[in-house]
Amino acid sequence: MKDIKVFIAHREVQCAECGEQLGRPAWITLDSQKGAVCLSCADLEHLAYLPAGNTALTRRARKNSRLSAVVLKWARARKQYERQGVLVEEGALQQAEVECAADETVRAAARERAAERRAELDDKYIESFARRIRDMYPGAPAGREMAIAVHACRKYSGRVGRSSSAKALDAEAVKLAVIAHLRHVETDYDVLLTKGYERYEAREQVRQQVEEMLDKWQEV
Ligand SMILES: [Zn+2]
């Protein structure tokens, strides 16, 4: 297992893959060939952020998560990278919170984080995105459009300079959101990343499977 590293960058960063200006601070991964890549392009944006501070919760969340990443920030004074927290699967974090639930402080923190997560999202926007998914992919299992829309909304709401919801609702953007979901949920893609596969290799491995599911979802 290799630790995927995410860096919080304080300079202006442009994603080497999608070209997006990421604002400051920018959360990035470093691709061996391309350089700085945004979390969306790196396929890590579906992960939830758990700040360091609760060792038991962090340990359990990472253990439950098929894919996780360590978040690092450069500490100028000490001239070294310092660990800020981890990115883990939402479900893994919830499971870990349940496991730690005997501890009331953890429960309070969990409630606070859940409220923060919800506040980030614009309900109306999620609904229109979900409807668009349902229109384009009538064969998708019930409820999936909401899960996909929530992630897509997080992606478009958190960015400086990416406010146009029209852009986000075009057919290509919807298709990309659905493909990302299928990769994470219906294939071994995340496991391949954890095993150290490069993204392009992992995508190639699951491409056929994703295309077949897309076709199926497009049928009524
Ligand atoms: Zn990008």
Side-chain angles (χ1 to χ4, degrees), residues 14-20 22 36-42 159 162:
Q14 185 176 18
C15 174
E17 197 155 308
C18 68
E20 201 77 38
L22 302 176
V37 173
C38 76
L39 295 198
S40 173
C41 290
R159 297 261 186 103
R162 198 209 284 257

Side-chain angles (χ1 to χ4, degrees), residues 155-171:
K155 165 175 169 177
Y156 284 100
S157 67
R159 297 261 186 103
V160 179
R162 198 209 284 257
S163 55
S164 161
S165 53
K167 177 182 170 189
L169 287 174
D170 76 31

